[in-house]
mmCIF file of all heavy atoms in Angstrom:
data_model
loop_
_atom_site.group_PDB
_atom_site.id
_atom_site.type_symbol
_atom_site.label_atom_id
_atom_site.label_comp_id
_atom_site.label_asym_id
_atom_site.label_seq_id
_atom_site.Cartn_x
_atom_site.Cartn_y
_atom_site.Cartn_z
ATOM 1 N N THR A 480 8.425 2.216 29.540
ATOM 2 C CA THR A 480 9.298 2.588 28.411
ATOM 3 C C THR A 480 8.534 2.803 27.156
ATOM 4 O O THR A 480 8.687 3.770 26.372
ATOM 5 C CB THR A 480 10.229 1.355 28.088
ATOM 6 O OG1 THR A 480 11.024 1.095 29.317
ATOM 7 C CG2 THR A 480 11.163 1.695 26.981
ATOM 8 N N ARG A 481 7.401 2.006 26.868
ATOM 9 C CA ARG A 481 6.566 2.268 25.745
ATOM 10 C C ARG A 481 5.837 3.631 25.906
ATOM 11 O O ARG A 481 5.612 4.258 24.897
ATOM 12 C CB ARG A 481 5.546 1.123 25.678
ATOM 13 C CG ARG A 481 6.092 -0.237 25.134
ATOM 14 C CD ARG A 481 5.065 -1.329 25.130
ATOM 15 N NE ARG A 481 3.960 -0.923 24.173
ATOM 16 C CZ ARG A 481 2.723 -1.218 24.284
ATOM 17 N NH1 ARG A 481 2.365 -2.048 25.312
ATOM 18 N NH2 ARG A 481 1.854 -0.883 23.419
ATOM 19 N N ALA A 482 5.350 3.896 27.094
ATOM 20 C CA ALA A 482 4.736 5.166 27.303
ATOM 21 C C ALA A 482 5.592 6.340 27.022
ATOM 22 O O ALA A 482 5.187 7.357 26.430
ATOM 23 C CB ALA A 482 4.191 5.285 28.707
ATOM 24 N N ARG A 483 6.963 6.202 27.318
ATOM 25 C CA ARG A 483 7.889 7.208 27.006
ATOM 26 C C ARG A 483 7.992 7.426 25.419
ATOM 27 O O ARG A 483 8.151 8.508 24.956
ATOM 28 C CB ARG A 483 9.222 6.859 27.607
ATOM 29 C CG ARG A 483 10.236 7.981 27.316
ATOM 30 C CD ARG A 483 11.584 7.594 27.979
ATOM 31 N NE ARG A 483 12.135 6.376 27.362
ATOM 32 C CZ ARG A 483 13.262 5.747 27.837
ATOM 33 N NH1 ARG A 483 13.926 6.296 28.784
ATOM 34 N NH2 ARG A 483 13.628 4.643 27.292
ATOM 35 N N ARG A 484 7.953 6.274 24.734
ATOM 36 C CA ARG A 484 8.081 6.391 23.346
ATOM 37 C C ARG A 484 6.788 7.021 22.692
ATOM 38 O O ARG A 484 6.925 7.892 21.732
ATOM 39 C CB ARG A 484 8.227 4.957 22.676
ATOM 40 C CG ARG A 484 8.289 4.970 21.158
ATOM 41 C CD ARG A 484 8.878 3.713 20.564
ATOM 42 N NE ARG A 484 8.041 2.529 21.100
ATOM 43 C CZ ARG A 484 6.969 2.079 20.443
ATOM 44 N NH1 ARG A 484 6.541 2.666 19.369
ATOM 45 N NH2 ARG A 484 6.358 0.953 20.911
ATOM 46 N N TYR A 485 5.654 6.777 23.295
ATOM 47 C CA TYR A 485 4.433 7.417 22.820
ATOM 48 C C TYR A 485 4.488 8.914 23.055
ATOM 49 O O TYR A 485 4.074 9.771 22.310
ATOM 50 C CB TYR A 485 3.226 6.794 23.436
ATOM 51 C CG TYR A 485 2.964 5.394 23.055
ATOM 52 C CD1 TYR A 485 2.246 4.560 23.873
ATOM 53 C CD2 TYR A 485 3.474 4.864 21.849
ATOM 54 C CE1 TYR A 485 2.034 3.280 23.502
ATOM 55 C CE2 TYR A 485 3.210 3.538 21.437
ATOM 56 C CZ TYR A 485 2.508 2.706 22.335
ATOM 57 O OH TYR A 485 2.293 1.439 21.929
ATOM 58 N N ALA A 486 5.088 9.355 24.243
ATOM 59 C CA ALA A 486 5.242 10.701 24.432
ATOM 60 C C ALA A 486 6.252 11.306 23.443
ATOM 61 O O ALA A 486 6.079 12.463 22.981
ATOM 62 C CB ALA A 486 5.793 11.003 25.857
ATOM 63 N N ASP A 487 7.289 10.575 23.085
ATOM 64 C CA ASP A 487 8.242 10.999 21.996
ATOM 65 C C ASP A 487 7.460 11.307 20.759
ATOM 66 O O ASP A 487 7.820 12.123 19.998
ATOM 67 C CB ASP A 487 9.354 10.105 21.857
ATOM 68 C CG ASP A 487 10.388 10.196 22.976
ATOM 69 O OD1 ASP A 487 10.375 11.188 23.609
ATOM 70 O OD2 ASP A 487 11.226 9.264 23.173
ATOM 71 N N ASN A 488 6.464 10.405 20.477
ATOM 72 C CA ASN A 488 5.704 10.519 19.244
ATOM 73 C C ASN A 488 5.060 11.896 19.149
ATOM 74 O O ASN A 488 5.076 12.649 18.079
ATOM 75 C CB ASN A 488 4.685 9.405 19.064
ATOM 76 C CG ASN A 488 5.139 8.144 18.741
ATOM 77 O OD1 ASN A 488 6.375 8.053 18.339
ATOM 78 N ND2 ASN A 488 4.381 7.089 18.860
ATOM 79 N N LEU A 489 4.516 12.317 20.261
ATOM 80 C CA LEU A 489 3.880 13.703 20.352
ATOM 81 C C LEU A 489 4.937 14.875 20.098
ATOM 82 O O LEU A 489 4.651 15.817 19.374
ATOM 83 C CB LEU A 489 3.104 13.959 21.653
ATOM 84 C CG LEU A 489 1.864 13.055 21.859
ATOM 85 C CD1 LEU A 489 1.310 13.390 23.202
ATOM 86 C CD2 LEU A 489 0.809 13.367 20.858
ATOM 87 N N ILE A 490 6.035 14.605 20.621
ATOM 88 C CA ILE A 490 7.133 15.674 20.501
ATOM 89 C C ILE A 490 7.541 15.687 18.973
ATOM 90 O O ILE A 490 7.678 16.789 18.417
ATOM 91 C CB ILE A 490 8.333 15.315 21.346
ATOM 92 C CG1 ILE A 490 7.903 15.415 22.816
ATOM 93 C CG2 ILE A 490 9.541 16.167 21.063
ATOM 94 C CD1 ILE A 490 8.991 14.960 23.812
ATOM 95 N N ILE A 491 7.639 14.479 18.355
ATOM 96 C CA ILE A 491 8.052 14.493 16.927
ATOM 97 C C ILE A 491 6.920 15.118 16.103
ATOM 98 O O ILE A 491 7.204 15.895 15.108
ATOM 99 C CB ILE A 491 8.339 13.113 16.415
ATOM 100 C CG1 ILE A 491 9.541 12.535 17.219
ATOM 101 C CG2 ILE A 491 8.558 13.053 14.960
ATOM 102 C CD1 ILE A 491 9.836 11.098 17.038
ATOM 103 N N LEU A 492 5.672 14.816 16.418
ATOM 104 C CA LEU A 492 4.529 15.387 15.679
ATOM 105 C C LEU A 492 4.506 16.928 15.841
ATOM 106 O O LEU A 492 4.040 17.652 14.905
ATOM 107 C CB LEU A 492 3.208 14.853 16.112
ATOM 108 C CG LEU A 492 2.995 13.272 15.817
ATOM 109 C CD1 LEU A 492 1.643 12.766 16.351
ATOM 110 C CD2 LEU A 492 3.110 13.078 14.266
ATOM 111 N N GLY A 493 4.917 17.398 16.967
ATOM 112 C CA GLY A 493 4.956 18.859 17.294
ATOM 113 C C GLY A 493 6.215 19.514 16.608
ATOM 114 O O GLY A 493 6.272 20.701 16.633
ATOM 115 N N GLY A 494 7.037 18.750 15.921
ATOM 116 C CA GLY A 494 8.158 19.373 15.191
ATOM 117 C C GLY A 494 9.322 19.533 16.024
ATOM 118 O O GLY A 494 10.336 20.265 15.537
ATOM 119 N N ALA A 495 9.527 19.030 17.224
ATOM 120 C CA ALA A 495 10.559 19.223 18.078
ATOM 121 C C ALA A 495 11.421 17.951 18.157
ATOM 122 O O ALA A 495 11.107 16.894 17.651
ATOM 123 C CB ALA A 495 10.126 19.597 19.454
ATOM 124 N N GLN A 496 12.699 18.095 18.814
ATOM 125 C CA GLN A 496 13.531 16.919 18.963
ATOM 126 C C GLN A 496 13.167 16.258 20.264
ATOM 127 O O GLN A 496 12.643 16.783 21.140
ATOM 128 C CB GLN A 496 14.973 17.441 19.086
ATOM 129 C CG GLN A 496 15.544 18.105 17.895
ATOM 130 C CD GLN A 496 15.922 17.121 16.829
ATOM 131 O OE1 GLN A 496 16.034 15.948 17.031
ATOM 132 N NE2 GLN A 496 16.014 17.662 15.536
ATOM 133 N N GLY A 497 13.468 14.898 20.272
ATOM 134 C CA GLY A 497 13.169 14.039 21.360
ATOM 135 C C GLY A 497 14.041 14.437 22.632
ATOM 136 O O GLY A 497 15.176 15.107 22.341
ATOM 137 N N ALA A 498 13.642 14.096 23.758
ATOM 138 C CA ALA A 498 14.363 14.503 24.970
ATOM 139 C C ALA A 498 15.616 13.673 25.214
ATOM 140 O O ALA A 498 16.550 14.006 25.829
ATOM 141 C CB ALA A 498 13.437 14.387 26.213
ATOM 142 N N ARG A 499 15.579 12.472 24.678
ATOM 143 C CA ARG A 499 16.690 11.442 24.917
ATOM 144 C C ARG A 499 17.830 11.856 24.071
ATOM 145 O O ARG A 499 17.675 12.140 22.870
ATOM 146 C CB ARG A 499 16.314 10.040 24.769
ATOM 147 C CG ARG A 499 15.263 9.547 25.801
ATOM 148 C CD ARG A 499 15.017 8.061 25.565
ATOM 149 N NE ARG A 499 14.298 7.817 24.349
ATOM 150 C CZ ARG A 499 13.944 6.573 23.869
ATOM 151 N NH1 ARG A 499 14.362 5.536 24.487
ATOM 152 N NH2 ARG A 499 13.270 6.456 22.842
ATOM 153 N N ARG A 500 19.136 11.741 24.607
ATOM 154 C CA ARG A 500 20.339 12.051 23.790
ATOM 155 C C ARG A 500 21.343 10.982 24.140
ATOM 156 O O ARG A 500 21.514 10.460 25.246
ATOM 157 C CB ARG A 500 20.861 13.453 24.228
ATOM 158 C CG ARG A 500 19.932 14.578 23.897
ATOM 159 C CD ARG A 500 19.877 14.869 22.365
ATOM 160 N NE ARG A 500 19.172 16.032 22.083
ATOM 161 C CZ ARG A 500 17.779 16.160 21.961
ATOM 162 N NH1 ARG A 500 17.122 14.983 22.030
ATOM 163 N NH2 ARG A 500 17.209 17.246 21.704
#
Side-chain angles (χ1 to χ4, degrees):
T480 302
R481 289 179 59 211
R483 181 180 61 185
R484 179 164 57 87
Y485 293 156
D487 283 343
N488 284 349
L489 290 178
I490 295 175
I491 294 171
L492 294 178
Q496 296 285 341
R499 291 185 291 172
R500 296 287 188 274

